Amino acid sequence: MLQQVNGHSSGLDAHGGEALREDLQEFLGQEAPLHLLDDLTKVNPVTLETVLRCLQARYMADTFYTNAGCTLVALNPFKPVPQLYSPELMREYHTAPQPQKLKPHIFTVGEQTYRNVKSLIEPVNQSIVVSGESGAGKTWTSRCLMKFYAVVAASPTSSESHKIAARIEQRILNSNPIMEAFGNACTLRNNNSSRFGKFIQLQLNRAHQMTGAAVQTYLLEKTRVACQASSERNFHIFYQICKGASADERLQWHLPEGAAFSWLPNPDRTLEEDCFEVTREAMLHLGIDTPTQNNIFKVLAGLLHLGNILFADSEDEAQPCQLMDDAKCSVRTSASLLCLPEDPLLETLRIRTIRAGRQQQVFRKPCSRAECDTRRDCLAKLVYARLFDWLVSVINSSICTDPNSWTTFIGLLDVYGFESFPDNSLEQLCINYANEKLQQHFVAHYLRAQQEEYAVEGLEWSFVNYQDNQTCLDLIEGSPISICSLINEECRLNRPSSAAQLQTRIESALAGSPCLGHDKLSREPSFIVVHYAGPVRYHTAGLVEKNKDPVPLELTRLLQQSQDPLLKVLFPTDPEEKSQEEPSGQSRAPVLTVVSKFKASLEQLLQVLHSTTPHYIRCIKPNSQGQAQTFLREEVLSQLEACGLVETVHISAAGFPIRVSHRNFVERYALLRRLCPRTAPGPQSPSPNEGRSEWSPHTEETTLQPLLQDILHTLPPLTGAAATPGDPAEARPAPVHCGRTKVFMTDSMLELLERRRAQVLEQCARCIQGSWRRHRHRKQERQRRAAALIQAAIRSWLTRKRIQRLHTAATVIKRTWRKWRIRMAFLASEELDGVEEKHLSQAPCSPSSFQLPQAQTWLLGAIIRLWPLGLVLANAAVGERGFQRKLVVWACLQLPTSSPGSCAVHTAQEQDGVTSIRALPQGSIKFHCRKSPLRYADICPEPSSYSVTGFNQILLERHRLGRV
């Protein structure tokens, strides 16, 4: 088993996905591409690596919604996708018999909640929790869900009810622009960031038609009115009135072109949300008439001028602070717009009233410059918070219906995501506290879904161990001592609060909590809380003051003196509506702090969620630049941690992250039975692939069970841990459980199975390699022998063909040579004999003038034609396949074959003339190289010691007997 720390498997985070081979990943994923997996529970194994890869593959394929069990993960596309939210698509999901079989979508969640309401299965009421960090698309998701319900839940039967439904639908949709204009702002991460949490209750009647709605808000960031971070903006409504007001309205509200306001940073930046006409039109639809709108905008303009009131340090502490040079005009303008007297306004901002003693004596103390700025900011925040609450009440009165007219509801909760900044204060503490509570609710719901799945498979739930966030919640809200209780106690004490003292109290009182940490290198007083999504460092400076949220009584009384109709409504003079007075030194009544009010509203919200069937939509921002088709894994991972999906992954990993069907398990691990020969499959254990088309599910399951047990029993360390569907769970967590249709495994069991499978495959590979080498060696030997035989046969055939050609050529040459020799002999004999006879009867004459008969002339022509053949034969190469030159010369000269030197010469005595060629001539043989009448007589072959060239006739010198 892998070691688990805080319920998290230590081997899953960094090495879970990298340790798996590609074939194993294909097996666990059933060879399906990642972008086709519409549910993260189908990813095997359930690790951060595989989850990120799946989300990235789907995002790059323009698939922005993915199921994660009971949660829908929504990736912000950062580009318009109108066809994804069209009314036709809404109706398609609404009319589908099984919307779950369609592609994941927010309309699937909406339709599921609507059908759950219609089914009347307890709990009937539904809720959808939309969470995510700023810029992830929570506001857009909530808006699309409201449009979906307005379309599908408005199906009246009569024309009159149709008009009523259409009016309610339009009012519900028009509430969004107003809430966004007064509650959203541009931040570093999002141009339209919701700076408050809201729970929208869509009310349905008995016919399941939407009859109304109600809005409840949580923790408005009212400090943004007077304090904005660098590169951020104030609420949208301030920029809308400055850019969208007409010339007359600008003159009326004292907003000239190019006017600079200290509470209106980045005024030149234009956003899509700066649409003043849309806000005014929505307010008209909700019953806010034009004079009331002008009154609202005039008060907002007065707050902008109030921010330009700047104070200077006083030289005498007993005297109030002086105004800056340009501040007097701002005081006059602000007092005029707020319908307040100028002098009381200035006096309230600069002088503090203190009541002390039993007689409640009043003391007036001039404020320092910092205190003046604080009272000015407090006045602006008080007015804006009351205005926002009044707008919410107006919206509710416009869209809400009689409680007796609706029976069920569907709630939409749009809350902050987990926040961690370099400078975190009370706002982040409350936001993260709410996320901790919602995370606990989500984990409980998710575990219940897991328990139902395991129950269906016949498994017990008690073996899954996980670490919830109850320890962190005890640190924040626990009793009797917690961070919230210590902060509230500091507020109740009538003494100046010190940031270092608060840090010391928190660290000393809560030192035993494992979720509390301290940064020793930090110079500023702070403490660290280890949340489920990661540690967050909170600064203690200003924490108590923000928790008190002090509203001086004189500020409230000043606003009650206003002659403005709207401010009279916001600050009535009735005793029931009076603000909370400051406690005297002897009265220690409990102070209703910001933390206390937020905790009470959060408990009320959780009660509503517990009474409903929750559904979760986790909005994820792929990148912080807002670019389409850009997926940054580090940023996505941090958001998955913040919205609780990482914790869900860890809970899944703590149970059985590997889930394989029986058939797939047997097909992959059936070869493990080779490790145990006695359990080898026999006739009674057919292969699951045999006769697949003839099997029924019952027969298949009956056949697979023995095979499963054979496979599991081949692993000796896990023999006792393997359990059948009917076996009870052991005290020690078992690494593998056989359900009714699936095999549930831990990652350690998967590693062991893969290791054993690798051993069997290695043995099989060695056997295959040995057989292959033997086969290859035998094949090579046979090929070598066959090649030798073929080479020998070819060489024999070539030799025979060569000999046959030589024999044929030799036969032809011999035949031709014989004919030529006979003819030459005959011609030579005839020629010489004729010359002798003629020489005897006639006087000697020159050879050139000697005339031959016609027959001899023809024979002489034949000799001339056949003479080159003799030259060729005489010039043949010497070798074992050629003719001997000497034999040719001897044959031409009619020499005996015994020895050329032993030939006797027969001559005619006492006669002059040419002797017979059959006799060896006496003397030397001359070769006449003059122009010859023969065709080839002038061609000189290569010189050779055995060659005779360049002669046309053989002349024997005439020797006289007397001269010899």
Side-chain angles (χ1 to χ4, degrees), residues 488-683:
N488 289 334
E489 184 178 353
E490 287 289 331
C491 294
R492 287 193 295 267
L493 297 176
N494 191 13
R495 65 180 184 184
S497 178
S498 172
Q501 184 179 1
L502 178 61
Q503 175 189 359
T504 304
R505 291 196 61 188
I506 292 176
E507 292 178 353
S508 59
L510 303 173
S513 176
C515 294
L516 181 65
H518 174 62
D519 188 3
K520 298 181 180 180
L521 301 179
S522 176
R523 297 181 179 180
E524 301 178 358
S526 62
F527 61 92
I528 297 176
V529 177
V530 182
H531 295 278
Y532 71 92
V536 179
R537 178 167 166 250
Y538 299 97
H539 295 277
T540 57
L543 201 63
V544 177
E545 287 74 13
K546 289 183 178 180
N547 188 37
K548 288 180 181 180
D549 193 18
V551 179
L553 182 60
E554 52 267 26
L555 291 182
T556 305
R557 290 179 177 177
L558 172 67
L559 293 173
Q560 290 175 351
Q561 298 176 7
S562 173
Q563 300 302 318
D564 185 81
L566 179 62
L567 291 180
K568 286 185 177 182
V569 176
L570 298 180
F571 299 94
T573 57
D574 298 337
E576 298 179 358
E577 300 294 334
K578 286 186 178 181
S579 301
Q580 175 186 340
E581 295 184 3
E582 294 183 2
S584 60
Q586 298 177 354
S587 175
R588 298 300 177 89
V591 179
L592 188 60
T593 61
V594 173
V595 171
S596 301
K597 291 187 291 186
F598 182 74
K599 184 178 179 181
S601 61
L602 186 60
E603 290 295 338
Q604 182 182 0
L605 173 63
L606 289 175
Q607 290 179 3
V608 175
L609 293 180
H610 283 299
S611 64
T612 62
T613 300
H615 306 265
Y616 297 90
I617 298 178
R618 304 302 196 188
C619 298
I620 303 297
K621 183 168 58 174
N623 59 85
S624 58
Q625 292 78 22
Q627 298 178 356
Q629 294 294 314
T630 302
F631 191 93
L632 302 181
R633 304 185 67 177
E634 294 77 8
E635 295 185 10
V636 173
L637 178 59
S638 64
Q639 296 175 68
L640 293 178
E641 293 175 347
C643 68
L645 281 180
V646 172
E647 186 69 17
T648 305
V649 169
H650 288 313
I651 292 173
S652 300
F656 291 111
I658 313 299
R659 305 169 186 183
V660 186
S661 65
H662 287 174
R663 171 171 293 278
N664 292 338
F665 184 84
V666 171
E667 288 179 353
R668 184 170 182 85
Y669 300 112
L671 51 84
L672 295 182
R673 292 180 294 169
R674 294 174 178 266
L675 299 175
C676 188
R678 58 185 177 83
T679 61

Side-chain angles (χ1 to χ4, degrees), residues 432 453 470 580 706 781 821 879 941:
N432 295 338
E453 180 180 2
Q470 185 60 45
Q580 175 186 340
E781 184 64 22
R821 188 184 62 179

